[in-house]
Amino acid sequence: MAVPAALILPTPLVPPPSISIPSATTSPPSTTSSPSPSLCLAPPPGSGQNLFRSEHLVSGSPGIPNAGLPPGKPVYSTPSPVENIPQNNECKMVELRGAKVASFTVDGCELICLPQAFDLFLKHLVGGLHTVYTKLKRLEITPVVCNVEQVRILRGLGAIQPGVNRCKLISRKDFETLYNDCTNARYVESSLRRVGLNVCTDSRA
């Protein structure tokens, strides 16, 4: 049976499916693109940690002492030599514990020759001069470094060996502190040996 032509809907009136698909697919890009600003504001954990650490390096945190700041001179660092001027290079022999030692007066302070005082008073108490310097570090005593002229004078007087080109000076007060530390350590060691205990000499003592 034939259908009247008026009842047949024309096919061009049906919207093609391709027109509705873009409208459905355009919304996801807007939702997926929204997290992008948060990604820029919050860097990955690795980079964020590096930025945090670099911030501390610049500001200098308690966990990183003196980080990012001008390096301060440590307590135990070697100071600069004594200024090479005539008044600092006037050497005289002074009496120390019944012996004569060479000394210089620097900025009104009398400084004695440390290697010479070691040979006279400490050599039989400690293992060597390196042990003396270790003790000075522990006692927070910083000796004074001789200048080249003072070293030449001390060599001429026989206070130090002819081939030595460096020397340090120490005040009487600091020497007494060093001497007492050496004698006390020696006394403790001798007491322990008397009671039969083995003593292990520690170079840091």
Side-chain angles (χ1 to χ4, degrees):
M1 181 177 180
V3 180
L7 296 178
I8 299 175
L9 295 177
T11 54
L13 295 177
V14 179
S18 60
I19 297 176
S20 59
I21 293 175
S23 61
T25 55
T26 52
S27 56
S30 61
T31 56
T32 54
S33 60
S34 58
S36 58
S38 61
L39 292 177
C40 298
L41 294 177
S47 60
Q49 185 177 2
N50 294 335
L51 292 175
F52 180 78
R53 296 174 65 88
S54 63
E55 179 183 356
H56 282 292
L57 290 175
V58 174
S59 59
S61 64
I64 309 176
N66 296 332
L69 300 177
K73 182 173 290 187
V75 178
Y76 305 141
S77 65
T78 303
S80 301
V82 176
E83 187 179 2
N84 194 352
I85 56 178
Q87 53 265 36
N88 289 343
N89 298 336
E90 295 179 1
C91 183
K92 59 182 180 180
M93 303 301 293
V94 298
E95 185 174 348
L96 178 67
R97 291 184 171 270
K100 294 291 184 179
V101 296
S103 70
F104 299 92
T105 301
V106 179
D107 295 333
C109 180
E110 184 183 70
L111 303 174
I112 62 176
C113 177
L114 179 57
Q116 186 183 22
F118 166 79
D119 288 335
L120 293 173
F121 307 108
L122 304 177
K123 193 173 184 179
H124 65 288
L125 298 175
V126 296
L129 192 58
H130 65 282
T131 306
V132 169
Y133 289 127
T134 303
K135 287 179 175 292
L136 291 175
K137 291 181 179 181
R138 180 171 54 80
L139 296 171
E140 297 186 359
I141 297 175
T142 304
V144 179
V145 180
C146 295
N147 59 40
V148 292
E149 181 64 18
Q150 289 173 335
V151 172
R152 186 189 66 80
I153 294 172
L154 292 174
R155 284 201 304 256
L157 294 174
I160 57 178
Q161 298 297 324
V164 175
N165 56 7
R166 291 181 298 176
C167 183
K168 293 185 179 180
L169 308 173
I170 190 173
S171 67
R172 284 177 176 263
K173 179 182 177 180
D174 289 339
F175 175 77
E176 292 298 331
T177 302
L178 173 64
Y179 181 83
N180 292 333
D181 186 83
C182 292
T183 52
N184 291 338
R186 186 70 173 183
Y187 174 77
V188 171
E189 180 180 347
S190 300
S191 300
L192 293 176
R193 290 187 183 280
R194 281 198 299 269
V195 297
L197 296 177
N198 293 328
V199 179
C200 179
T201 302
D202 190 354
S203 61
R204 297 173 297 177

